[in-house]
């Protein structure tokens, strides 16, 4: 039978706002203080509590009372009332004033605060205004507590429940009874599925207009998660009807209501009706407009440009081939310029030549890339400072905690633009429409924008297909580098990458020094080979640690998918140990020393870089989808995990945020974009045709610097090379650019 503790909450020692886990002390009558631990929906110092549970012995913190059940009760006597009011629960009432209030009203104190708050002004030092304020706070505390209890029955976390109550106040119950789908629109962290579950519990019918409208918006959100900026009308109607199990006619009717409310926008592209969530429509439209505004042609004499370029080549002892030279000249004369090319085609040399050319002209230059790793590589190859695009735009924590990810606040925008003459962005294939829009907002007309990337790489993880759309629009000057340079041609990684891209077979006879094929047809044998290569064979061969060697796979599920491989690799590369703390979360175990990856953008996560002496030398906010790190410490008492990301950025993760992390011994090829690894291992033994395509194999191979090892079936490799199909991505930027450019041309008197 459970033991019971009745007393006052003396002190809250620790509280995790995400999940409600709390450490507090309780004072029982005529007994010593008791340290209590457990999950509490809502609790304040000074409150009178009834606790049920049992005593446990913590190896570090000693005896604690583990709470299973907590009931907050009305204080039973004047002392309890005084303790509660004097605890700080009501702002402005300290111990001395609490004593005077209770002395005046005795056992009637709480009734007076509820029903006759004006009487508080009878006490010296309390004005009528203060009395009303105290009463309002008192009522809010009670309201919030009842809200916590109410929301908990729907499985809503404490932190989320607080957000909901703060947003709606006393209207919360009415909102939940009438249209719980409002939560998905109004509150960050409440998605359609949570709202739908609540709606089901409160009795909202399956064909409710509120449900169908929310389902349509959810379908567009899901589509953006798959890289789409819009969905064709028939596809949206079909998907939503299946999702909600309602008639397509009902979906079409509610879609029209959303259109009239301007929550979705229809745009015709040829004979296709494209349906956008309003934010993505305006994002795409404004991106096209800003790009065209920047697309200025500078009328510079070609003879002078070529003479300047010749002097530059002589000074730098640099010999540019024809396309590289053309790239420098085009960059000099264009407001927006796109440079694309595969590995070994001299993109880095060309970027360096462009930088040197503009520097010789006395121009200010800024360099950036989408990820920390890509920015670091850019800095190493150019010998110039480079940052992430987020850092360049000076990401700042949003003041609105309900703002969606796409509404991240950047200090740099049209009111505070980047101060530079030239902006060079590398790894453009990774830039999605949201980030491109934010970047262009901070660029003034007259700034030259140079966009560099490999158009044959996979598109961005986020929605849009920006680099490919810019090239497809045929509006901006583009230079394609195609020549493979002699040094690069000695690398089979680069040679094979180009063969894959061209659809040509590759040699798999293991006579190469950096590209290997280990033929294996049994899944368990393949995993065993991967472990042996990572742990024993490859580290010395590529002069790297096992953690630097990356397994890439096309799939998440299946016997050679990310989820299963991570479990196996963790067991062998970072096995359990009494010296290592670990935390179970859903189907995963996180252990100190594990390699992990952030799987969604979190603009609010704070990070610090510390010196050897523990002094903070740099701080900022934002950890992004695809960032990898190592778990340095797991604190089960504080329910936090410390992770070290690239460049020594240390981040504290509350256990409530572990859903943003996954193990990263193996990652999907999609998630590897923008990264380079000393060695890449590819387990390939067949899978869905849509996934196992040329584009995916090309991207995987180009992630390796020194060694690619394919373990599996040569037939699968060849099938991927032969398969040109790519997953369709709905993006309208190219056609949008063309339409606006045509209108501008007509406006200037074009025929």
């Amino acid at each position: 039978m459970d033991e019971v503790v009745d007393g006052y909450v003396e002190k809250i020692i620790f509280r995790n706002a995400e999940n409600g886990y709390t450490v507090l002390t309780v004072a029982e009558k005529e007994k010593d203080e008791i340290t209590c631990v457990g999950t509490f929906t809502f609790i304040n110092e000074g409150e009178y509590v009834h606790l049920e549970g049992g005593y446990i012995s913590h190896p570090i913190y000693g005896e604690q009372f583990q709470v299973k059940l907590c009931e907050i009760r009305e204080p039973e006597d004047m002392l309890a009332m005084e303790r509660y009011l004097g605890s700080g629960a009501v702002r402005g009432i300290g111990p001395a004033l609490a004593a005077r209030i209770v002395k005046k009203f005795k056992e009637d104190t709480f009734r007076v605060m509820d029903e006759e708050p004006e009487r508080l002004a009878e006490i010296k030092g309390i004005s009528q205004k203060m009395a009303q304020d105290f009463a309002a706070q008192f009522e809010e505390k009670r309201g919030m507590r009842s809200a916590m209890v109410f929301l908990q029955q729907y499985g809503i976390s404490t932190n989320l429940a607080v957000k909901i109550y703060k947003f709606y106040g006393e209207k919360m119950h009415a909102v939940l009874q009438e249209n719980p789908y409002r939560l998905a629109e109004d509150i960050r962290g409440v998605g359609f599925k949570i709202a739908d579950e609540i709606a089901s519990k409160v009795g909202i019918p399956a064909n409710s207009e509120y449900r169908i409208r929310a389902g349509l918006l959810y379908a567009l959100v899901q589509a953006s998660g798959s890289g789409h900026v819009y969905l064709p009308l028939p596809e949206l109607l079909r998907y939503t009807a299946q999702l909600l199990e309602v008639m397509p006619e009902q979906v079409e009717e509610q879609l029209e209501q959303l259109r009239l409310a301007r929550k979705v926008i229809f745009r015709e592209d040829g004979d296709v009706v494209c349906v956008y969530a309003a934010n993505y429509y305006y994002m795409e439209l404004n991106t096209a407009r800003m790009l065209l505004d920047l697309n200025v042609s500078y009328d510079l004499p070609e003879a002078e440009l070529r003479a300047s370029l010749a002097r530059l080549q002589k000074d730098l002892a640099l010999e540019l081939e024809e396309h590289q030279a053309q790239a420098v000249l085009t960059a000099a004369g264009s407001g927006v310029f796109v440079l694309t090319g595969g590995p070994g085609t001299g993109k880095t040399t060309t970027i360096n030549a462009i930088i040197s050319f503009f520097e010789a002209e006395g121009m200010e230059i800024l360099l950036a890339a989408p990820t920390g790793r890509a920015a670091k590589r850019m800095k190493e190859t150019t010998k110039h400072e480079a940052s992430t695009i987020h850092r360049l735009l000076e990401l700042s924590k949003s003041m609105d905690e309900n703002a969606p990810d796409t509404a991240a606040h950047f200090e740099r925008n049209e009111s505070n633009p980047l101060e530079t003459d030239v902006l060079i962005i590398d790894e453009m294939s990774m830039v999605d429409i949201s980030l491109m829009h934010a970047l262009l907002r901070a660029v003034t007309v007259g700034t030259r924008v140079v966009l560099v990337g490999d158009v044959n790489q996979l598109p961005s993880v986020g929605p849009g297909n920006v680099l490919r759309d810019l090239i497809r629009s045929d509006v901006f000057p583009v230079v394609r580098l195609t020549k493979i340079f002699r040094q690069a041609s000695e690398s089979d990684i680069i040679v094979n990458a180009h063969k894959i891209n061209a659809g040509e077979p590759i040699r798999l006879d293991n006579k190469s020094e950096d590209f290997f094929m280990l033929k294996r047809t049994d899944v368990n044998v393949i995993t065993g080979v991967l472990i042996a290569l990572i742990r024993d064979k490859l580290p010395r061969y590529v002069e790297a640690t096992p953690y630097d060697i990356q397994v890439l796979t096309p799939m998440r599920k299946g016997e050679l998918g990310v989820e299963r491989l991570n479990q196996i690799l963790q067991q062998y590369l970072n096995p359990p140990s009494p010296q290592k703390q670990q935390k179970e979360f859903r189907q995963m175990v996180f252990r100190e020393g594990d390699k992990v990856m952030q799987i969604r953008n979190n603009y609010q996560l704070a990070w610090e870089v510390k010196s050897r002496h523990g002094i903070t030398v740099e701080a900022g906010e934002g950890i992004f989808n695809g960032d990898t790190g190592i778990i340095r410490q797991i604190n089960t008492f504080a329910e936090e995990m410390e992770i070290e990301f690239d460049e020594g950025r240390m981040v504290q993760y509350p256990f409530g945020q572990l859903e943003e992390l996954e193990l990263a011994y193996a990652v999907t090829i999609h998630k590897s974009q923008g990264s380079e690894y000393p060695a890449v291992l590819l387990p390939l033994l067949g899978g869905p045709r849509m996934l196992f395509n040329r584009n995916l194999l090309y991207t995987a191979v180009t992630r390796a610097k020194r060694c690619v090892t394919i373990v599996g079936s040569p037939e699968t490799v060849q099938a991927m090379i032969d398969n040109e199909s790519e997953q369709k991505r709905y993006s309208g930027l190219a056609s949008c650019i063309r339409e606006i450019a045509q209108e501008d041309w007509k406006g200037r008197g074009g025929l």
Side-chain angles (χ1 to χ4, degrees):
M1 190 172 169
D2 288 336
E3 296 179 80
V4 172
V5 170
D6 290 297
Y8 314 102
V9 178
E10 193 73 26
K11 186 174 178 61
I12 294 176
I13 300 168
F14 170 80
R15 181 169 179 81
N16 186 320
E18 284 294 323
N19 56 20
Y21 179 82
T22 308
V23 181
L24 49 82
T25 57
V26 171
E28 280 195 299
K29 289 178 183 176
E30 300 175 7
K31 291 185 182 178
D32 292 337
E33 284 184 359
I34 301 165
T35 301
C36 302
V37 296
T39 300
F40 300 84
T41 53
F42 192 74
I43 201 163
N44 284 306
E45 291 178 355
E47 291 190 293
Y48 190 79
V49 292
H50 171 82
L51 307 176
E52 294 179 12
Y55 287 94
I56 58 170
S57 182
H58 194 280
I60 299 172
Y61 302 103
E63 191 176 66
Q64 298 175 335
F65 189 79
Q66 181 80 52
V67 178
K68 293 180 183 176
L69 173 73
C70 169
E71 290 179 5
I72 297 171
R73 296 180 172 177
E74 288 289 316
E76 295 178 338
D77 53 36
M78 288 167 44
L79 177 61
M81 292 178 184
E82 187 180 322
R83 275 178 179 261
Y84 177 72
L85 291 176
S87 69
V90 178
R91 195 173 56 255
I93 300 181
L97 187 53
R100 296 212 302 276
I101 293 171
V102 175
K103 187 178 179 182
K104 169 78 175 172
F105 300 113
K106 300 185 171 54
E107 288 89 349
D108 220 19
T109 298
F110 279 15
R111 188 198 63 78
V112 168
M113 293 186 76
D114 261 341
E115 300 172 13
E116 303 174 89
E118 67 280 357
R119 288 190 61 193
L120 291 173
E122 297 172 13
I123 296 167
K124 190 177 177 182
I126 301 181
S127 66
Q128 279 290 349
K129 188 173 181 304
M130 288 168 69
Q132 292 298 332
D133 180 52
F134 293 157
Q137 287 188 61
F138 188 71
E139 180 59 32
E140 186 185 11
K141 292 285 189 236
R142 285 190 166 180
M144 189 171 283
R145 190 179 300 121
S146 79
M148 297 297 108
V149 173
F150 178 76
L151 290 168
Q152 200 177 33
Q153 66 183 313
Y154 301 117
I156 293 173
S157 71
T158 304
N159 201 33
L160 201 53
V162 171
K163 282 186 186 179
I164 293 169
Y165 183 78
K166 282 184 176 177
F167 192 88
Y168 295 116
E170 292 303 313
K171 295 178 184 173
M172 180 196 76
H173 296 83
V175 168
L176 290 178
Q177 294 294 331
E178 183 189 347
N179 178 17
Y181 297 99
R182 278 184 60 185
L183 271 66
E185 291 187 55
D186 294 339
I187 311 292
R188 185 178 176 220
V190 179
F192 173 79
K193 288 189 174 178
I194 292 176
D196 202 38
E197 191 177 329
I198 295 171
S200 173
K201 288 180 179 175
V202 299
I204 303 289
N207 63 351
S208 157
E209 61 185 42
Y210 297 129
R211 183 170 186 257
I212 296 172
R213 288 177 204 172
L216 280 160
L217 294 173
Y218 174 70
L220 290 171
V221 168
Q222 289 292 96
S224 71
S226 299
H228 306 301
V229 181
Y230 69 84
L231 282 179
L233 177 59
E235 197 166 322
L236 175 62
L237 294 175
R238 186 170 58 253
Y239 176 82
T240 309
Q242 287 174 350
L243 173 75
L244 303 179
E245 298 179 342
V246 296
M247 299 301 291
E249 302 81 48
Q250 295 172 302
V251 177
E252 195 164 7
E253 186 182 329
Q254 296 309 320
L255 181 61
E256 180 59 20
Q257 293 303 312
L258 287 175
R259 190 180 71 84
L260 291 171
R262 304 290 290 176
K263 289 187 176 180
V264 301
I265 309 289
F266 285 23
R267 176 176 168 266
E268 290 187 11
D269 188 359
D271 57 355
V272 178
V273 177
C274 312
V275 185
Y276 289 80
N279 62 321
Y280 280 121
Y281 172 79
Y282 291 111
M283 207 179 280
E284 197 172 79
L285 186 69
N286 292 335
T287 298
R289 181 73 272 170
M290 289 186 289
L291 280 164
L292 288 165
D293 288 345
L294 289 167
N295 191 33
V296 178
S297 290
Y298 296 94
D299 192 15
L300 303 172
E302 188 171 342
E304 287 184 23
L305 286 174
R306 288 195 175 275
S308 298
L309 182 59
R311 283 195 299 274
L312 180 71
Q313 292 188 81
K314 187 178 177 182
D315 293 344
L316 298 175
L318 187 65
E319 190 174 336
L320 299 176
E321 62 92 31
E322 184 186 343
H323 286 95
Q324 290 177 310
Q326 189 57 51
V328 178
L329 298 174
T330 308
S334 309
V336 177
F337 166 59
V338 179
L339 175 67
T340 185
T345 57
K347 285 200 302 291
T348 299
T349 301
T350 309
I351 293 170
N352 285 333
I354 291 170
I355 292 169
S356 299
F357 185 92
F358 284 130
E359 280 184 332
E361 298 296 316
M363 293 185 178
E364 292 286 324
I365 304 167
L366 287 175
L367 309 181
T371 66
R373 285 193 171 193
K376 187 180 177 184
R377 197 165 68 248
M378 196 181 188
K379 182 180 178 180
E380 290 167 353
T381 56
T382 64
K383 305 295 188 288
H384 284 70
E385 194 58 46
S387 70
T388 63
I389 297 172
H390 291 90
R391 197 175 295 188
L392 182 74
L393 297 177
E394 298 173 18
L395 180 71
S396 180
K397 189 171 183 177
S398 176
M399 294 296 102
D400 180 5
E401 64 179 6
N402 289 319
D405 285 355
T406 52
H409 175 65
F410 292 107
E411 294 292 337
R412 294 288 184 174
N413 50 38
E414 45 277 86
S415 306
N416 182 26
L418 295 167
E419 295 168 9
T420 189
D421 300 306
V422 182
L423 176 64
I424 302 176
I425 307 294
D426 198 10
E427 293 287 358
M428 268 300 299
S429 62
M430 297 182 66
V431 176
D432 63 24
I433 190 68
S434 305
L435 190 55
M436 190 66 180
H437 181 260
L439 178 67
L440 293 174
R441 286 180 62 199
V443 181
T444 54
V445 175
T447 304
R448 287 172 170 83
V449 178
V450 178
L451 306 172
V452 185
D454 184 351
V455 75
N456 294 309
Q457 297 282 2
L458 290 169
S460 56
V461 174
N465 207 346
V466 175
L467 179 62
R468 190 164 290 188
D469 278 351
L470 289 179
I471 295 170
R472 279 176 50 221
S473 72
D474 291 323
V475 171
F476 308 102
V478 177
V479 171
R480 292 177 173 83
L481 301 178
T482 55
K483 181 182 175 182
I484 303 175
F485 287 87
R486 184 179 61 79
Q487 191 174 355
S489 68
E490 295 171 1
S491 163
D492 284 324
I493 295 173
I494 290 172
V495 170
N496 285 340
H498 285 275
K499 283 184 175 180
I500 291 165
N501 193 40
E504 299 171 8
I506 58 176
R507 285 173 55 190
L508 299 172
D509 56 9
N510 288 340
K511 292 181 179 177
S512 169
E513 291 184 1
D514 59 10
F515 201 105
F516 305 100
M517 176 81 217
L518 303 180
K519 187 177 178 180
R520 304 289 189 274
T521 54
D522 182 273
V523 168
N524 293 323
V525 173
I526 290 173
T527 52
V529 170
L530 294 176
I531 292 161
L533 287 169
I534 297 170
R535 200 169 56 181
D536 306 319
K537 297 182 179 180
L538 280 177
R540 274 180 294 173
Y541 189 73
V542 297
E543 297 175 344
T545 70
Y547 279 84
D548 295 322
I549 296 163
Q550 189 63 58
V551 176
L552 301 180
T553 176
M555 302 174 296
R556 289 197 56 80
K557 306 287 184 182
E559 292 185 306
L560 291 176
V562 162
E563 293 175 4
R564 181 175 180 269
L565 285 177
N566 269 321
Q567 288 183 345
I568 295 169
L569 292 169
Q570 181 194 44
Q571 199 65 21
Y572 285 91
L573 300 176
N574 189 33
S577 162
Q579 284 74 47
K580 293 178 182 177
Q581 290 284 350
Q582 63 182 46
K583 167 67 181 173
E584 290 186 31
F585 182 78
R586 296 178 182 170
Q587 304 300 312
M588 284 183 287
V589 174
F590 292 110
R591 189 172 296 130
E592 288 175 348
D594 273 337
K595 183 178 177 181
V596 291
M597 175 180 280
Q598 175 79 9
I599 58 171
R600 67 180 68 158
N601 289 340
N602 186 326
Y603 297 99
Q604 276 77 43
L605 263 180
W607 53 263
E608 290 182 326
V609 178
K610 294 187 176 181
S611 70
R612 297 187 292 183
H613 307 293
I615 299 166
T616 301
V617 293
E618 193 179 357
E621 287 157 351
I623 299 295
F624 304 107
N625 192 353
D627 285 356
T628 55
I630 304 289
I631 300 174
R632 296 301 184 197
Q633 188 181 31
I634 295 175
N635 187 329
T636 52
F637 176 71
E639 296 211 320
E640 283 187 333
M641 188 181 290
E642 186 177 57
I643 298 175
E644 181 177 358
F645 288 93
D646 292 337
E647 300 173 312
R649 294 173 298 156
M650 307 299 294
V651 179
Q652 301 294 333
Y653 277 79
F655 284 179
Q657 281 183 263
L658 295 186
E659 63 190 17
E660 296 184 10
L661 293 169
E662 62 181 32
L663 295 173
Y665 298 100
V667 303
T668 62
I669 297 167
H670 280 87
K671 289 284 190 184
S672 72
Q673 286 172 265
S675 295
E676 266 193 351
Y677 311 100
V680 162
L681 296 173
L682 299 174
L684 299 174
L685 198 60
R689 178 174 165 79
M690 278 306 295
L691 274 180
F692 281 65
N693 58 33
R694 184 186 300 176
N695 192 216
L696 202 77
L697 182 60
Y698 173 81
T699 301
V701 167
T702 54
R703 299 306 89 208
K705 286 194 285 189
R706 299 189 61 179
C707 179
V708 170
T709 305
I710 302 173
V711 188
S713 158
E715 291 77 20
T716 299
V717 175
Q718 189 56 52
M720 291 180 78
I721 295 170
D722 294 339
N723 181 11
E724 287 186 82
S725 66
E726 291 179 38
Q727 194 169 354
K728 176 71 177 170
R729 181 169 281 215
Y730 298 117
S731 169
L733 183 60
S735 60
C736 199
I737 290 168
R738 283 196 294 267
E739 285 172 18
I740 298 174
Q742 200 168 21
E743 287 169 14
D744 288 353
W745 183 68
K746 286 178 180 175
R748 290 194 297 269
L751 298 175

